[in-house]
Amino acid sequence: VKFSYDGINNIKEMVNTNELKELGKLTETSFTRERKMGNNLKEICKGSIVRMLVMVAAVIALCGVRPETAYAATPNATGTTGDGFTYEVNVNGDAAAITGYEGNQSGNLVIPSTITVEQGSLPVTRIGYDEDNYPKGFSDFAGSITIPNSVTSIGEYAFCSCTKLANITIPNSITSIEYRAFVACTSLTAITIPSSVTSIDDETFSGCTSLTSIEVDENNTCYSSADGVLFNKDKVKLVCYPAGKTNNEYDIPDTVKIIGDGAFIDCTRL
């Protein structure tokens, strides 16, 4: 039986005989030992919690909730241009990312290569998204989008849920297309990867249920395509099988040793 601290004091006051005194001493000794064990357990628990927090921090540092960029850190400024493009200025204050469109234009939308902000005229080097306005971005736009040659990266979720995006032109300045950049672009039927692209994250085209073809410029040194399916250059990795393809079967080439995460996501016809 374990006694509380107050319970022990009450027992000590009740002790009036030698037998009860001995019992009281025994109980108090037992309680003191248990209290020391409890304190040791508390220290062990505190140490375990600290170790657990360190481990969690390490996992976040390695994997991240999402890939961080110079734009993902606190930007210098955010706002909307006169023609409806939302933007954020990078932490160095020398470039800008376009994060969405709030204008009324439809048809063909050309993203600007420069914007004028308080810092002056800045080059647009990235298409990203605004965490505070996610996932709106370009999702209200209907038509085709042209990205300027000043842009070098298409950030994660950049065109998330652009269900009315029919076509997009990716310039030969783009080097990276990040995680889920085109997720749930359900009207997109085809896309061409230029020779400049050296990095395409897994699941970039997940949820593109109308996408039937991903073509790659033959001069690209990192990626290739065959029958509209995206591979790395030597076809060792199958990066993405377009979800809109109507085939009910597909023979994976013998060269393939790796199937990328989400490579066959939403391929309901296979």
Side-chain angles (χ1 to χ4, degrees):
V1 179
K2 296 181 175 65
F3 295 93
S4 69
Y5 216 4
D6 290 338
I8 291 296
N9 289 331
N10 291 336
I11 288 174
K12 288 169 66 178
E13 291 177 1
M14 292 168 57
V15 172
N16 293 314
T17 65
N18 290 333
E19 292 82 359
L20 286 178
K21 285 181 181 178
E22 292 302 318
L23 176 61
K25 289 177 183 178
L26 175 62
T27 304
E28 187 172 14
T29 301
S30 176
F31 174 78
T32 301
R33 182 170 61 250
E34 289 171 359
R35 186 176 61 178
K36 288 180 179 179
M37 290 174 63
N39 289 336
N40 291 336
L41 181 59
K42 283 166 61 179
E43 291 303 317
I44 292 171
C45 289
K46 285 197 298 185
S48 298
I49 291 171
V50 170
R51 285 192 295 271
M52 181 179 68
L53 291 175
V54 170
M55 289 174 65
V56 170
V59 170
I60 291 175
L62 288 172
C63 302
V65 175
R66 65 181 190 86
E68 295 293 337
T69 68
Y71 288 94
T74 303
N76 281 347
T78 61
T80 305
T81 65
D83 46 2
F85 289 97
T86 58
Y87 67 86
E88 64 181 27
V89 177
N90 70 356
V91 292
N92 295 325
D94 57 5
I98 295 296
T99 58
Y101 180 68
E102 298 179 347
N104 298 317
Q105 183 178 335
S106 60
N108 183 37
L109 181 67
V110 178
I111 294 174
S113 59
T114 61
I115 60 171
T116 301
V117 296
E118 185 178 344
Q119 290 89 336
S121 179
L122 298 178
V124 173
T125 61
R126 178 179 172 85
I127 310 298
Y129 80 96
D130 182 357
E131 290 182 339
D132 296 330
N133 200 27
Y134 173 81
K136 187 175 181 182
F138 292 89
S139 62
D140 290 339
F141 176 77
S144 302
I145 292 178
T146 299
I147 299 173
N149 288 324
S150 60
V151 174
T152 59
S153 64
I154 301 175
E156 60 170 24
Y157 296 104
F159 296 100
C160 173
S161 299
C162 293
T163 58
K164 295 173 281 189
L165 176 63
N167 183 61
I168 188 159
T169 301
I170 301 176
N172 205 34
S173 58
I174 299 294
T175 59
S176 64
I177 304 175
E178 296 177 12
Y179 180 70
R180 294 194 170 189
F182 294 97
V183 64
C185 290
T186 54
S187 296
L188 194 63
T189 59
I191 195 163
T192 299
I193 307 299
S195 61
S196 57
V197 173
T198 58
S199 173
I200 301 175
D201 285 351
D202 290 336
E203 298 190 34
T204 290
F205 303 103
S206 62
C208 295
T209 52
S210 297
L211 188 64
T212 60
S213 176
I214 303 172
E215 299 296 331
V216 179
D217 188 297
E218 62 181 9
N219 294 317
N220 190 298
T221 59
C222 297
Y223 293 94
S224 62
S225 61
D227 298 322
V229 180
L230 179 63
F231 300 88
N232 69 341
K233 187 63 176 180
D234 54 8
K235 293 184 173 61
V236 170
K237 179 178 180 178
L238 193 158
V239 180
C240 180
Y241 181 95
K245 291 178 77 69
T246 57
N247 309 61
N248 56 20
E249 61 180 37
Y250 177 69
D251 292 327
I252 296 174
D254 293 337
T255 56
V256 172
K257 300 184 185 300
I258 302 169
I259 296 177
D261 289 344
F264 289 94
I265 196 168
D266 297 315
C267 294
T268 57
R269 297 176 181 87
L270 279 178

